[in-house]
Amino acid sequence: PKRDWSSDVCSSDLEQEPNNPEGWMRLATSYRVLERWDDAKAAIAKAAALDADNVEVLAEQAGILLSATDPNAPFPTEVRAILEHILTIEPENLEALYFVGVAAAEAGEKEVAAENWVKLLNKLDPQTQAYTEVRTRLETLRAPAAPAAAPATPAPAPTPRP
């Protein structure tokens, strides 16, 4: 694993002051940069346990957990729960609105996804790429499902020639 002096210093500071959520968050961020995912998850979990309603800590926790997840894996339920908690504290948090929408859409909860994305669109500048991306996701979500393909009609058997 990669090593970094800042994570070593931060870790030794936390031995002296283990109930410091800011210190745990700095350590988690250092581990995230180093892609030491298990260490990052452990450190941010300690920060979140010490400061459970701090949106910055919760957002970092969600980010670390998402970054440590295989991009082809389903949206992690733990991350969705963290993001939903963020929305109880800060109902207009842009990242939480976006990612709760993504998780809901993936889970087939179209109404929940649409509700979050509409709130988000109302907060974004229509001239931005973020607005365009969210609007496209919303349009795709609301598009009627494509009708099932009709079964192919078999070609008539050739008629024998006399």
Side-chain angles (χ1 to χ4, degrees), residues 38-132:
D38 290 340
D39 292 332
K41 289 189 284 187
I44 199 65
K46 289 182 181 180
L50 292 168
D51 199 356
D53 290 333
N54 182 319
V55 170
E56 187 179 352
V57 171
L58 294 169
E60 182 68 11
Q61 184 178 31
I64 287 170
L65 292 172
L66 268 180
S67 296
T69 300
D70 180 335
N72 298 316
F75 198 95
T77 55
E78 180 183 7
V79 174
R80 182 174 176 176
I82 293 165
L83 295 166
E84 287 172 341
H85 181 60
I86 289 172
L87 290 174
T88 66
I89 300 162
E90 194 177 286
E92 296 182 358
N93 183 286
L94 302 182
E95 287 184 4
L97 287 169
Y98 176 76
F99 283 111
V100 169
V102 170
E106 186 180 293
E109 301 168 22
K110 290 184 173 188
E111 301 79 22
V112 174
E115 178 184 326
N116 281 279
W117 287 342
V118 167
K119 285 180 190 174
L120 180 56
L121 286 174
N122 289 330
K123 300 288 170 202
L124 295 175
D125 177 350
Q127 304 303 315
T128 62
Q129 182 177 348
Y131 182 93
T132 302

